[in-house]
Amino acid sequence: MKAVIMAGGKGTRITSVASDIPKPMILIEGKPVLEHEIECLRKQGFTDLILTVSHLGNIIMDYFGDGSKFGVHIEYYFEKEPLGNAGALFKIKDQLSDDFLLLNADAMFDVDFNRFVAYHKQHNGLVTLFTHPNSHPYDSGLIISNASCQVEQWLAKEDARPTYYKNRVNAGLHVINKEVLNQTIHTQKIDLDRQLLKPLAGTGKMYCYDSPEYVKDMGTPERYYVVCDDFKEGRVQAKNLSNKQKAIFLDRDGTINKYVGFLRDIDQFELLPNVSNAIKKINDSGYLAIVVTNQPVIARGEVTRLELNEIHNKMETLLGQDGAYLDGIYYCPHHPHKGYEGEIVELKIDCDCRKPKPGMLIQASTDFNIDLSQSWMIGDSDNDILAGENAGCKTARVTEEESLYDIIERILCVC
C-alpha cells in the first residue's frame, strides 16, 4: 500500500522555532519530524511513499532524495501553484493504489498502521479516519458516529454542535480508497476535510478508527515543545498499540459522578469534586483512562441505549471542558433477575461482563493490548474490587476518606 505524506505546509504559526525551513523539517531530538514519520512507516513495511511538497520543497527533496538512504522509495509531486491540501491527490491519482494512507507531515505520531489498515479493510468503507479524544474538544472539529462506527456528522470548529458530545477528534491520519477521487471539483484549491471527506458523513462509507496512540500536531511553538518533551521521555513510542499498554479502569457511579442510585435522568449526572483533575493526571501519566460500568437500567427498560450514550456524552463533555478525557467507555446492559414489568427480556441474562465478572476489562485489554497485571481497577463497591481482582489487576477503593484524586496521586507516586 502506498503512503502519501502531505508536506507542503508553510508553518506560519511556528516561525519562531524555524522560519527558514519547511515545517516537516523541524527537528525533534536531532531528526526532522518527517524523518520520524518515515521511520515509523518503514518499520511496519510501508516503504512506497509519495511526498507532496511546495513551500521550500527543494529542502525536503534534497534531504530525502529517492529515499534509499532511509530504506524506502520516495516519489514527489511539487506544487508550483497552491492547490490546497488535497489538490495534489487528483494530480497523482494514477500513481495511487486502490487504498492508500494519507498523512500530514507536520504531526508527531507513532501508530500501529497495520492494525489501522486491517480495520479499514474489515469495514470495507471508502475512508477510515484515525480518531482519538483530546484535551480541548470544545475548540476542535468533532466526529460523530453511530454504533457501527460509521461517521454520521463531521462538525468543523465553526459548526453548531450538540449540548453534549463524545470527545472524538480527527487526528489527520487516513486510509482512503481512490474512488473518492472520481469526482470533478472546479475550484483550483481543494480542501481535504470540507470538500472530500465531510460530504461522506452520513453515507455509510466513512468509518472511525478510535485509538489512544500518540498523534500530535506541532503547529505552534507551545505544542512543538510538548512534543519534544514527550519524545524525549518515551511517551510517543510507548503509546503504539503494538506495545503492551497499562490502564486505570474506573467505575462510573460513585467514582466519577455523584451516586444517586439507578441514574435514569441525564440531569442527575454530576461530576464529583476534583474528578477532572484526577483523570487529567491519568492522561498525563501514560496510563489509559477507561470507564467500566454496570448499567442494569438498560435491561430494566428504564433507560435506552441512546439515552445512556447521551449521559456518557455529558460525562465526556464536562471532562473535556476541564481538559480531561477518557480513552474508552464500556458498559454492561444486562441483569440476571427476570420477571419484572417493563424489562428487556433478552438482556435479562447471566452474562460475562457484569461486574464482579471481568468481561469488560478483558474486552478492553483485547481492544487496546493492555497488560492487566500492570493495570488498576478503581471503584466504590465490592463488585468493582472483585472485578479488578478477577481480571488480575491491582485495585483501590474510593471512600469518604480517599477520593479518586487521592488514589490517583498515590498510585502515580508509587509508579
Side-chain angles (χ1 to χ4, degrees), residues 177-194:
N177 187 287
K178 72 176 183 180
E179 184 182 326
V180 171
L181 304 175
N182 290 340
Q183 57 182 297
T184 301
I185 296 179
H186 296 289
T187 56
Q188 180 179 346
K189 294 183 180 180
I190 301 175
D191 185 273
L192 176 68
D193 291 354
R194 288 171 175 78

Side-chain angles (χ1 to χ4, degrees), residues 58-73:
N58 59 298
I59 296 175
I60 295 174
M61 296 167 71
D62 290 344
Y63 185 88
F64 290 101
D66 64 3
S68 56
K69 288 193 300 184
F70 302 90
V72 296
H73 172 72

Side-chain angles (χ1 to χ4, degrees), residues 275-391:
V275 158
S276 293
N277 287 329
I279 293 175
K280 272 200 290 187
K281 281 185 170 288
I282 299 173
N283 299 151
D284 294 339
S285 71
Y287 282 88
L288 303 179
I290 298 176
V291 168
V292 287
T293 176
N294 290 346
Q295 290 300 317
V297 288
I298 303 292
R300 290 159 61 99
E302 296 169 341
V303 174
T304 66
R305 290 180 188 266
L306 285 176
E307 289 168 336
L308 180 63
N309 286 339
E310 189 65 4
I311 290 170
H312 287 163
N313 286 347
K314 180 175 181 179
M315 175 169 61
E316 293 209 58
T317 302
L318 295 178
L319 290 171
Q321 288 170 355
D322 293 334
Y325 60 86
L326 299 168
D327 294 293
I329 301 174
Y330 293 78
Y331 68 86
C332 169
H334 307 112
H335 193 268
H337 303 142
K338 300 180 182 178
Y340 296 89
E341 185 178 353
E343 68 184 15
I344 310 299
V345 176
E346 60 269 26
L347 297 179
K348 286 286 191 169
I349 60 172
D350 186 11
C351 63
D352 293 325
C353 52
R354 179 176 168 82
K355 294 178 291 184
K357 293 182 180 179
M360 288 186 283
L361 288 79
I362 290 171
Q363 183 61 55
S365 74
T366 299
D367 294 342
F368 295 113
N369 194 22
I370 294 168
D371 182 349
L372 292 170
S373 70
Q374 297 299 310
S375 300
W376 288 79
M377 174 70 218
I378 302 176
D380 67 326
S381 73
D382 290 343
N383 281 345
D384 297 323
I385 302 306
L386 287 170
E389 291 173 351
N390 289 334

